[in-house]
Amino acid sequence: MAVKTGNNTFVLNRPVFVRNTACIVGQKEKQGPLGRYFERSEKDDFDMDTWEQAEARFVGETYSSLLAGSPGVEENMIDCVLGGDLLNQCTASACGLKKSGRPYLGLFGACSTMAESLLIGSLLIDGGGAENVVCITSSNFCSAEKQFRFPLELGSQRAPNSQWTVTGSGAALLSSQGDGPQITAVTPGIICDYNVTDTNNMGASMAPAAASTILMHLGDLNRDFSYYDLVVTGDLGRVGHALCGDILKLHGVGAEEARHQDCGMMIFDPSQGTCAGGSGCGCSATVFAAYLYKQLKEKAVNRLLFVATGALMSPVSVKQGEPILGIAHAIAIENIGKGAPA
Amino acid sequence: MAVKTGNNTFVLNRPVFVRNTACIVGQKEKQGPLGRYFERSEKDDFDMDTWEQAEARFVGETYSSLLAGSPGVEENMIDCVLGGDLLNQCTASACGLKKSGRPYLGLFGACSTMAESLLIGSLLIDGGGAENVVCITSSNFCSAEKQFRFPLELGSQRAPNSQWTVTGSGAALLSSQGDGPQITAVTPGIICDYNVTDTNNMGASMAPAAASTILMHLGDLNRDFSYYDLVVTGDLGRVGHALCGDILKLHGVGAEEARHQDCGMMIFDPSQGTCAGGSGCGCSATVFAAYLYKQLKEKAVNRLLFVATGALMSPVSVKQGEPILGIAHAIAIENIGKGAPA
């Protein structure tokens, strides 16, 4: 049974292993700095007729690949699938998973969805009811541009603060059985409203949420930032990452550069023309599934705080003058089993 | 700790009380058959500039009203708020709850959201980590018509099979402490695809999901339909309700009329011009919060199976030829505490 600690953090008691991960990314992601960690890449359209169907295919094939790569876990052992995405009414997840035949719980956490699914999934397993839960999310540059910004055909100029939606789907299989990295504590985030209304600056809208959740997590557990080998925010990009660091500093939390990174900055190189960095549900999901999980498995990182961030907005809400709300959830993943360093 | 029973049902062990509910509906709902149970009604626009802001206000005020009506539970005792709605990127929930200051987990289950939130919320409490969880959702006739169908100004003729989106927000406070009705078992649903593509017939797309979840729930717990005083589906409307009854009968499950009802049929009278009945996340949420909860509290109903249903689709997915997927989650709520009938 999880124990609520401090204001908003749940410390897990039953082992919850990240048993396996899977991901498929697009071509641009494959060409980026993490390219060698992305085993499979596909074109943005994934040979489908529409961008939305392509995104659903990324989800469906990532789900299949996760199960195929998880010996000992048959599909009927999956207690539920937690999924969501950025498309209106989260259709990429529903369409992509419709053949799974497993109970489905849809989430909407914008780009924080990967952390939200890990949070709920780990608590369901810790609570004893579930043994195996799949967490999955996706985004697609083309479906996102079409829905949130401009038709691709316009070739619109991009603002330097803007971010580039990652094409890809990432998934994790959480399990009560296994070995390797375990989720040890989770901190669900609070909606932050700093009255940011610039849709070309999502980093600014999410940075206060990331900082707030990190501070809450560390405070609740009475931990220093240096407890973690790596604190990775979701997809703040360069602008949001710098703001997040500034806010942490204001609160007396020094974040060394190597210890404090951001998935949106890790996935693309500035030379790729991606402005402030990557974004989208698929950004933190694929960086986690391909790179961070491998770092944990290889014990290059033993204590990871994964803080995926989301901007809660729609084109309609922004046009009606609503601020872009930020949210971030924190997931502590540690090597604490046999073979882990003391 | 919940115990997985049968294929997909979780039986709860720790008491999870539905401690309180709250709702606000629109005028048409107030004029319907359940009008006297709806204590507060507002105009669809709730004195706001836009339908979307109105829907967010329904959410915000329902949340405030839930807390104000729950003595002994201060806002800082809420471990998390589970919310979601039908608007693109679920902005009604995020905007409506942005001042709550409590951890927020966004859900997207279309019109099944109320059941999905009760399901996750009850498992979080059963799992020991959470003590108090708010489950909340909403819909608004005008924001839904605008987003999913036609501009209201067109005055488009409605198909007889179509349903009328309920204006309103409903919420429940789940708690480990209290008395009264308890959530005893939950069955998360599987996505059903019967290749329904008619957006004027959501009932048909959701009926197989409702029947599948009911059959799964009864089978997993080895219960007859008659175990429950009332089995209420989410918002199938007249067409879907009849189809659901037919499917149940095909599987040898006889559903007496009085024991098998539908929120979409309960909330409106056919004379109100609402075609096949009500729909929207707010439909099952307000019927549950105002009417069903009262029936449980007054012991007119002692064993309720609440099966909210959702259609997983968007205007884009339908126009691209994707089928309308159905999902339904089942929540067993029973009077089992002191004073409950044997």
Side-chain angles (χ1 to χ4, degrees):
Chain A
M1 304 225 316
V3 175
K4 177 92 171 273
T5 308
N7 288 321
N8 293 316
T9 298
F10 299 92
V11 174
L12 276 58
N13 276 323
R14 194 179 182 216
V16 177
F17 296 95
V18 184
R19 183 154 170 166
N20 190 21
T21 60
C23 82
I24 307 174
V25 296
Q27 305 288 293
K28 198 177 186 82
E29 292 71 19
K30 180 69 182 170
Q31 292 154 8
L34 301 180
R36 67 194 168 100
Y37 298 97
F38 294 129
E39 289 179 13
R40 184 172 169 196
S41 64
E42 298 288 344
K43 287 178 297 175
D44 279 3
D45 71 6
F46 214 149
D47 300 322
M48 302 297 284
D49 289 336
T50 72
W51 306 123
E52 291 77 9
Q53 289 165 341
E55 186 174 340
R57 187 166 176 197
F58 271 96
V59 174
E61 301 227 359
T62 299
Y63 175 78
S64 301
S65 153
L66 180 71
L67 290 190
S70 304
V73 179
E74 302 299 320
E75 186 160 27
N76 64 11
M77 294 164 65
I78 304 296
D79 296 303
C80 70
V81 180
L82 297 165
D85 57 273
L86 285 171
L87 292 185
N88 297 344
Q89 289 73 54
C90 300
T91 52
S93 304
C95 295
L97 296 164
K98 69 180 180 186
K99 288 184 184 150
S100 74
R102 301 310 304 149
Y104 171 70
L105 297 170
L107 308 181
F108 182 77
C111 307
S112 73
T113 301
M114 193 66 208
E116 186 185 346
S117 65
L118 293 172
L119 186 149
I120 295 177
S122 61
L123 288 175
L124 292 184
I125 292 174
D126 178 86
E131 301 295 333
N132 299 288
V133 173
V134 169
C135 304
I136 188 164
T137 183
S138 66
S139 53
N140 182 297
F141 173 75
C142 304
S143 68
E145 287 297 303
K146 173 184 162 187
Q147 182 180 280
F148 287 106
R149 285 171 280 264
F150 298 102
L152 286 178
E153 293 80 356
L154 282 185
S156 301
Q157 198 172 8
R158 305 177 71 80
N161 288 345
S162 71
Q163 291 174 248
W164 187 281
T165 304
V166 163
T167 294
S169 171
L173 170 64
L174 303 186
S175 181
S176 61
Q177 307 296 319
D179 54 18
Q182 295 180 35
I183 297 182
T184 53
V186 297
T187 306
I190 291 170
I191 298 173
C192 286
D193 176 9
Y194 278 67
N195 206 27
V196 176
T197 53
D198 179 0
T199 52
N200 285 315
N201 197 349
M202 295 290 181
S205 73
M206 299 187 288
S212 141
T213 299
I214 292 169
L215 291 169
M216 197 154 64
H217 177 86
L218 297 177
D220 284 349
L221 299 179
N222 198 21
R223 285 179 182 168
D224 285 333
F225 199 95
S226 61
Y227 174 88
Y228 291 101
D229 301 326
L230 193 56
V231 176
V232 180
T233 48
D235 52 354
L236 297 180
R238 261 178 296 284
V239 178
H241 179 69
L243 286 171
C244 178
D246 287 348
I247 300 171
L248 291 175
K249 252 181 238 156
L250 280 176
H251 287 81
V253 174
E256 303 158 45
E257 203 170 320
R259 216 182 269 279
H260 181 215
Q261 298 186 27
D262 180 73
C263 295
M265 293 168 69
M266 293 156 80
I267 197 165
F268 292 128
D269 187 86
S271 68
Q272 292 182 279
T274 46
C275 303
S279 69
C281 302
C283 179
S284 56
T286 58
V287 171
F288 174 74
Y291 174 70
L292 296 171
Y293 182 62
K294 198 173 164 69
Q295 297 295 100
L296 281 161
K297 289 285 276 188
E298 293 177 350
K299 300 190 169 55
V301 170
N302 286 304
R303 291 167 169 178
L304 170 72
L305 191 65
F306 176 67
V307 191
T309 51
L312 303 172
M313 52 73 73
S314 75
V316 170
S317 73
V318 171
K319 281 173 192 146
Q320 292 182 353
E322 296 290 337
I324 301 170
L325 307 170
I327 196 159
H329 308 292
I331 315 293
I333 310 175
E334 303 181 72
N335 284 320
I336 56 172
K338 61 179 179 198
Chain B
M1 305 227 314
V3 176
K4 178 93 171 275
T5 308
N7 288 321
N8 293 316
T9 297
F10 298 92
V11 174
L12 275 58
N13 276 325
R14 194 180 181 213
V16 178
F17 296 94
V18 184
R19 184 156 169 166
N20 190 21
T21 60
C23 83
I24 307 174
V25 296
Q27 305 288 292
K28 198 177 186 84
E29 292 70 20
K30 180 69 183 171
Q31 291 154 9
L34 301 180
R36 66 192 169 100
Y37 297 98
F38 294 129
E39 288 178 16
R40 182 172 170 197
S41 64
E42 298 288 344
K43 287 178 298 175
D44 279 3
D45 70 5
F46 215 149
D47 301 323
M48 301 298 283
D49 290 336
T50 72
W51 306 123
E52 291 77 10
Q53 288 165 341
E55 186 174 338
R57 187 167 176 198
F58 272 95
V59 174
E61 301 227 359
T62 298
Y63 175 78
S64 301
S65 154
L66 180 72
L67 289 190
S70 304
V73 179
E74 302 299 319
E75 187 161 26
N76 64 12
M77 294 164 65
I78 304 296
D79 295 303
C80 69
V81 180
L82 297 165
D85 58 272
L86 286 170
L87 292 185
N88 297 344
Q89 290 73 55
C90 299
T91 51
S93 304
C95 295
L97 296 164
K98 69 181 178 184
K99 288 181 185 151
S100 74
R102 302 309 305 149
Y104 172 71
L105 297 170
L107 308 180
F108 181 78
C111 307
S112 74
T113 301
M114 193 65 207
E116 186 184 345
S117 64
L118 293 172
L119 187 149
I120 295 176
S122 61
L123 287 175
L124 293 185
I125 292 174
D126 178 87
E131 302 294 333
N132 300 288
V133 173
V134 169
C135 304
I136 188 163
T137 181
S138 67
S139 53
N140 182 296
F141 174 75
C142 304
S143 67
E145 287 297 304
K146 172 184 162 188
Q147 182 180 278
F148 288 106
R149 286 171 281 264
F150 298 103
L152 285 177
E153 293 80 356
L154 282 185
S156 301
Q157 197 172 7
R158 303 177 71 81
N161 288 345
S162 72
Q163 292 174 245
W164 188 280
T165 305
V166 163
T167 295
S169 172
L173 171 62
L174 303 186
S175 181
S176 62
Q177 306 295 319
D179 54 17
Q182 296 180 34
I183 297 181
T184 53
V186 297
T187 306
I190 291 170
I191 298 173
C192 286
D193 176 10
Y194 278 67
N195 206 26
V196 176
T197 53
D198 179 0
T199 52
N200 285 314
N201 196 351
M202 295 288 182
S205 74
M206 298 187 288
S212 141
T213 299
I214 292 170
L215 291 168
M216 198 153 63
H217 178 85
L218 297 177
D220 283 349
L221 299 179
N222 198 21
R223 285 178 182 168
D224 286 333
F225 199 95
S226 60
Y227 174 88
Y228 291 101
D229 300 327
L230 194 56
V231 175
V232 181
T233 48
D235 53 354
L236 297 180
R238 262 179 295 286
V239 177
H241 181 67
L243 286 172
C244 178
D246 288 348
I247 301 172
L248 291 175
K249 252 181 237 155
L250 281 176
H251 287 82
V253 174
E256 303 158 45
E257 204 170 319
R259 214 182 271 280
H260 181 215
Q261 297 185 29
D262 180 73
C263 295
M265 293 168 70
M266 294 156 79
I267 197 165
F268 291 128
D269 187 85
S271 68
Q272 292 182 279
T274 44
C275 303
S279 68
C281 302
C283 179
S284 56
T286 59
V287 171
F288 174 74
Y291 174 72
L292 296 170
Y293 182 64
K294 197 172 163 71
Q295 297 295 101
L296 281 160
K297 288 286 275 186
E298 293 177 350
K299 300 190 170 53
V301 169
N302 286 304
R303 290 167 170 176
L304 170 72
L305 190 65
F306 176 68
V307 191
T309 50
L312 303 172
M313 51 74 74
S314 75
V316 170
S317 73
V318 171
K319 281 172 192 145
Q320 293 182 352
E322 295 291 336
I324 300 170
L325 307 170
I327 196 158
H329 307 292
I331 316 292
I333 311 175
E334 304 181 72
N335 284 319
I336 56 173
K338 61 180 178 197

